[in-house]
Amino acid sequence: AFTKGDAWLDALREYIQKNREYAEEFLQREIPGIRPVSSKGTYLMWLDCRGFGFSSGDELGKFMTHRAHVGLCEGYWFGEQGAGFERLNVACPRSVLAQAMEQIANAAEELRRRK
């Protein structure tokens, strides 16, 4: 891996970057309540979900878990300033990422219709 893994690592970095781009484009197009926070050098993407209007990070976490059926890292776990944010791992198969994005979009649409 240390001496002959450069091609594999380059391909992995490109795959993760394409997943990040896919998620950013999907969110901008399909889920106006979530703003992706651009980041470089990591496979974890911060999602600004304050547009949903939840009063606590716990409510947002319950929404993601029980309505969207996705398990994300809660922003408030990382401090008070993280409330209203979620952290998404984009280093996964595109099919898994696409399914998670669709589930969040469907839950967000249901939330929008209820308001």
Side-chain angles (χ1 to χ4, degrees):
F2 289 112
T3 59
K4 297 179 182 169
D6 290 342
W8 174 85
L9 184 57
D10 290 343
L12 177 64
R13 286 180 177 149
E14 182 178 344
Y15 190 88
I16 292 170
Q17 178 59 33
K18 295 289 185 191
N19 272 0
R20 182 182 295 113
E21 292 167 4
Y22 169 82
E24 288 175 352
E25 291 169 9
F26 186 96
L27 291 167
Q28 291 170 353
R29 184 179 68 248
E30 302 292 333
I31 313 174
I34 298 178
R35 188 177 59 82
V37 178
S38 189
S39 62
K40 302 290 181 204
T42 181
Y43 56 87
L44 298 170
M45 175 186 287
W46 283 100
L47 306 176
D48 181 348
C49 302
R50 293 176 293 179
F52 285 153
F54 291 111
S55 61
S56 73
D58 189 48
E59 281 184 45
L60 175 59
K62 288 178 181 176
F63 170 78
M64 289 297 184
T65 302
H66 300 292
R67 297 285 185 210
H69 304 287
V70 295
L72 304 176
C73 294
E74 307 302 325
Y76 71 89
W77 294 347
F78 302 94
E80 188 178 308
Q81 68 278 16
F85 289 80
E86 296 281 321
R87 199 165 72 162
L88 171 70
N89 183 337
V90 297
C92 60
R94 174 70 57 87
S95 61
V96 172
L97 181 59
Q99 181 178 350
M101 293 287 97
E102 288 293 336
Q103 289 172 207
I104 295 169
N106 291 338
E109 178 60 24
E110 181 182 316
L111 179 65
R112 186 191 65 74
R113 281 186 268 147
R114 288 183 182 181
K115 288 186 176 184

mmCIF file of all heavy atoms in Angstrom, residues 74-95:
data_model
loop_
_atom_site.group_PDB
_atom_site.id
_atom_site.type_symbol
_atom_site.label_atom_id
_atom_site.label_comp_id
_atom_site.label_asym_id
_atom_site.label_seq_id
_atom_site.Cartn_x
_atom_site.Cartn_y
_atom_site.Cartn_z
ATOM 1 N N GLU A 74 -24.646 14.483 14.944
ATOM 2 C CA GLU A 74 -25.325 15.705 15.360
ATOM 3 C C GLU A 74 -24.313 16.819 15.599
ATOM 4 O O GLU A 74 -23.327 16.632 16.313
ATOM 5 C CB GLU A 74 -26.113 15.459 16.651
ATOM 6 C CG GLU A 74 -27.067 14.288 16.585
ATOM 7 C CD GLU A 74 -28.087 14.412 15.471
ATOM 8 O OE1 GLU A 74 -28.533 15.526 15.165
ATOM 9 O OE2 GLU A 74 -28.429 13.380 14.885
ATOM 10 N N GLY A 75 -24.574 17.965 15.035
ATOM 11 C CA GLY A 75 -23.658 19.091 15.178
ATOM 12 C C GLY A 75 -23.446 19.526 16.615
ATOM 13 O O GLY A 75 -22.338 19.888 17.005
ATOM 14 N N TYR A 76 -24.489 19.479 17.422
ATOM 15 C CA TYR A 76 -24.358 19.932 18.810
ATOM 16 C C TYR A 76 -23.426 19.046 19.625
ATOM 17 O O TYR A 76 -22.953 19.453 20.684
ATOM 18 C CB TYR A 76 -25.730 20.090 19.477
ATOM 19 C CG TYR A 76 -26.458 18.805 19.778
ATOM 20 C CD1 TYR A 76 -26.266 18.149 20.995
ATOM 21 C CD2 TYR A 76 -27.355 18.251 18.875
ATOM 22 C CE1 TYR A 76 -26.940 16.972 21.285
ATOM 23 C CE2 TYR A 76 -28.033 17.075 19.161
ATOM 24 C CZ TYR A 76 -27.820 16.439 20.360
ATOM 25 O OH TYR A 76 -28.488 15.274 20.646
ATOM 26 N N TRP A 77 -23.136 17.836 19.132
ATOM 27 C CA TRP A 77 -22.154 16.986 19.806
ATOM 28 C C TRP A 77 -20.782 17.656 19.844
ATOM 29 O O TRP A 77 -19.944 17.331 20.680
ATOM 30 C CB TRP A 77 -22.006 15.646 19.114
ATOM 31 C CG TRP A 77 -23.191 14.747 19.144
ATOM 32 C CD1 TRP A 77 -24.324 14.866 19.913
ATOM 33 C CD2 TRP A 77 -23.377 13.579 18.357
ATOM 34 N NE1 TRP A 77 -25.199 13.842 19.647
ATOM 35 C CE2 TRP A 77 -24.644 13.032 18.696
ATOM 36 C CE3 TRP A 77 -22.612 12.934 17.406
ATOM 37 C CZ2 TRP A 77 -25.140 11.879 18.111
ATOM 38 C CZ3 TRP A 77 -23.103 11.789 16.822
ATOM 39 C CH2 TRP A 77 -24.363 11.267 17.177
ATOM 40 N N PHE A 78 -20.553 18.572 18.918
ATOM 41 C CA PHE A 78 -19.252 19.216 18.783
ATOM 42 C C PHE A 78 -19.217 20.598 19.415
ATOM 43 O O PHE A 78 -18.258 21.335 19.246
ATOM 44 C CB PHE A 78 -18.869 19.300 17.295
ATOM 45 C CG PHE A 78 -18.828 17.944 16.652
ATOM 46 C CD1 PHE A 78 -19.940 17.443 15.990
ATOM 47 C CD2 PHE A 78 -17.699 17.153 16.752
ATOM 48 C CE1 PHE A 78 -19.921 16.175 15.417
ATOM 49 C CE2 PHE A 78 -17.671 15.887 16.185
ATOM 50 C CZ PHE A 78 -18.785 15.396 15.518
ATOM 51 N N GLY A 79 -20.265 20.943 20.143
ATOM 52 C CA GLY A 79 -20.320 22.220 20.832
ATOM 53 C C GLY A 79 -21.589 22.977 20.491
ATOM 54 O O GLY A 79 -22.296 22.661 19.530
ATOM 55 N N GLU A 80 -21.848 23.976 21.281
ATOM 56 C CA GLU A 80 -23.067 24.773 21.142
ATOM 57 C C GLU A 80 -23.229 25.371 19.741
ATOM 58 O O GLU A 80 -24.331 25.435 19.201
ATOM 59 C CB GLU A 80 -23.018 25.886 22.194
ATOM 60 C CG GLU A 80 -24.262 26.699 22.324
ATOM 61 C CD GLU A 80 -24.125 27.737 23.431
ATOM 62 O OE1 GLU A 80 -23.751 27.366 24.562
ATOM 63 O OE2 GLU A 80 -24.399 28.911 23.132
ATOM 64 N N GLN A 81 -22.132 25.797 19.138
ATOM 65 C CA GLN A 81 -22.187 26.407 17.807
ATOM 66 C C GLN A 81 -22.576 25.412 16.720
ATOM 67 O O GLN A 81 -22.933 25.803 15.612
ATOM 68 C CB GLN A 81 -20.864 27.100 17.451
ATOM 69 C CG GLN A 81 -19.693 26.169 17.251
ATOM 70 C CD GLN A 81 -19.010 25.714 18.539
ATOM 71 O OE1 GLN A 81 -19.546 25.836 19.631
ATOM 72 N NE2 GLN A 81 -17.813 25.173 18.412
ATOM 73 N N GLY A 82 -22.580 24.130 17.028
ATOM 74 C CA GLY A 82 -22.959 23.108 16.057
ATOM 75 C C GLY A 82 -24.449 22.817 16.008
ATOM 76 O O GLY A 82 -24.902 22.056 15.142
ATOM 77 N N ALA A 83 -25.226 23.424 16.910
ATOM 78 C CA ALA A 83 -26.677 23.197 16.910
ATOM 79 C C ALA A 83 -27.252 23.617 15.559
ATOM 80 O O ALA A 83 -26.914 24.667 15.019
ATOM 81 C CB ALA A 83 -27.336 23.970 18.039
ATOM 82 N N GLY A 84 -28.098 22.773 15.007
ATOM 83 C CA GLY A 84 -28.706 23.057 13.717
ATOM 84 C C GLY A 84 -27.924 22.505 12.537
ATOM 85 O O GLY A 84 -28.317 22.681 11.388
ATOM 86 N N PHE A 85 -26.819 21.838 12.835
ATOM 87 C CA PHE A 85 -25.977 21.256 11.797
ATOM 88 C C PHE A 85 -25.952 19.732 11.956
ATOM 89 O O PHE A 85 -26.142 19.208 13.044
ATOM 90 C CB PHE A 85 -24.540 21.776 11.897
ATOM 91 C CG PHE A 85 -24.387 23.214 11.498
ATOM 92 C CD1 PHE A 85 -24.717 24.232 12.376
ATOM 93 C CD2 PHE A 85 -23.904 23.550 10.247
ATOM 94 C CE1 PHE A 85 -24.573 25.567 12.012
ATOM 95 C CE2 PHE A 85 -23.756 24.879 9.867
ATOM 96 C CZ PHE A 85 -24.094 25.888 10.761
ATOM 97 N N GLU A 86 -25.710 19.058 10.861
ATOM 98 C CA GLU A 86 -25.502 17.613 10.831
ATOM 99 C C GLU A 86 -24.207 17.366 10.067
ATOM 100 O O GLU A 86 -23.790 18.196 9.254
ATOM 101 C CB GLU A 86 -26.653 16.905 10.098
ATOM 102 C CG GLU A 86 -27.994 17.038 10.764
ATOM 103 C CD GLU A 86 -28.173 16.109 11.945
ATOM 104 O OE1 GLU A 86 -27.714 14.952 11.876
ATOM 105 O OE2 GLU A 86 -28.770 16.531 12.941
ATOM 106 N N ARG A 87 -23.600 16.239 10.310
ATOM 107 C CA ARG A 87 -22.369 15.885 9.590
ATOM 108 C C ARG A 87 -22.605 14.584 8.834
ATOM 109 O O ARG A 87 -23.001 13.580 9.408
ATOM 110 C CB ARG A 87 -21.207 15.755 10.572
ATOM 111 C CG ARG A 87 -19.866 15.842 9.904
ATOM 112 C CD ARG A 87 -18.780 16.082 10.904
ATOM 113 N NE ARG A 87 -18.562 14.873 11.694
ATOM 114 C CZ ARG A 87 -17.485 14.637 12.414
ATOM 115 N NH1 ARG A 87 -16.528 15.536 12.479
ATOM 116 N NH2 ARG A 87 -17.357 13.529 13.096
ATOM 117 N N LEU A 88 -22.374 14.626 7.522
ATOM 118 C CA LEU A 88 -22.643 13.530 6.608
ATOM 119 C C LEU A 88 -21.336 12.946 6.094
ATOM 120 O O LEU A 88 -20.457 13.687 5.648
ATOM 121 C CB LEU A 88 -23.473 14.059 5.426
ATOM 122 C CG LEU A 88 -23.700 13.135 4.243
ATOM 123 C CD1 LEU A 88 -24.644 12.002 4.631
ATOM 124 C CD2 LEU A 88 -24.262 13.924 3.069
ATOM 125 N N ASN A 89 -21.230 11.621 6.112
ATOM 126 C CA ASN A 89 -20.064 10.923 5.577
ATOM 127 C C ASN A 89 -20.320 10.651 4.093
ATOM 128 O O ASN A 89 -21.248 9.938 3.743
ATOM 129 C CB ASN A 89 -19.862 9.613 6.338
ATOM 130 C CG ASN A 89 -18.641 8.855 5.910
ATOM 131 O OD1 ASN A 89 -18.131 9.011 4.806
ATOM 132 N ND2 ASN A 89 -18.169 7.983 6.776
ATOM 133 N N VAL A 90 -19.487 11.226 3.212
ATOM 134 C CA VAL A 90 -19.649 11.025 1.767
ATOM 135 C C VAL A 90 -18.685 9.979 1.223
ATOM 136 O O VAL A 90 -18.662 9.732 0.021
ATOM 137 C CB VAL A 90 -19.527 12.346 0.975
ATOM 138 C CG1 VAL A 90 -20.635 13.315 1.364
ATOM 139 C CG2 VAL A 90 -18.159 12.979 1.146
ATOM 140 N N ALA A 91 -17.913 9.338 2.084
ATOM 141 C CA ALA A 91 -16.980 8.285 1.660
ATOM 142 C C ALA A 91 -17.691 6.943 1.729
ATOM 143 O O ALA A 91 -17.416 6.103 2.579
ATOM 144 C CB ALA A 91 -15.727 8.296 2.528
ATOM 145 N N CYS A 92 -18.633 6.778 0.837
ATOM 146 C CA CYS A 92 -19.448 5.565 0.791
ATOM 147 C C CYS A 92 -19.837 5.318 -0.664
ATOM 148 O O CYS A 92 -19.634 6.188 -1.510
ATOM 149 C CB CYS A 92 -20.696 5.738 1.661
ATOM 150 S SG CYS A 92 -21.760 7.104 1.160
ATOM 151 N N PRO A 93 -20.395 4.154 -0.961
ATOM 152 C CA PRO A 93 -20.850 3.925 -2.335
ATOM 153 C C PRO A 93 -21.885 4.981 -2.741
ATOM 154 O O PRO A 93 -22.713 5.398 -1.911
ATOM 155 C CB PRO A 93 -21.487 2.539 -2.273
ATOM 156 C CG PRO A 93 -20.818 1.862 -1.120
ATOM 157 C CD PRO A 93 -20.570 2.963 -0.126
ATOM 158 N N ARG A 94 -21.830 5.421 -3.975
ATOM 159 C CA ARG A 94 -22.764 6.452 -4.459
ATOM 160 C C ARG A 94 -24.204 6.023 -4.239
ATOM 161 O O ARG A 94 -25.054 6.843 -3.906
ATOM 162 C CB ARG A 94 -22.502 6.723 -5.942
ATOM 163 C CG ARG A 94 -23.496 7.663 -6.618
ATOM 164 C CD ARG A 94 -23.396 9.114 -6.158
ATOM 165 N NE ARG A 94 -22.074 9.639 -6.368
ATOM 166 C CZ ARG A 94 -21.661 10.201 -7.501
ATOM 167 N NH1 ARG A 94 -22.456 10.300 -8.527
ATOM 168 N NH2 ARG A 94 -20.416 10.654 -7.590
ATOM 169 N N SER A 95 -24.512 4.747 -4.397
ATOM 170 C CA SER A 95 -25.887 4.283 -4.218
ATOM 171 C C SER A 95 -26.374 4.524 -2.782
ATOM 172 O O SER A 95 -27.536 4.885 -2.576
ATOM 173 C CB SER A 95 -26.009 2.810 -4.582
ATOM 174 O OG SER A 95 -25.177 2.013 -3.741
#
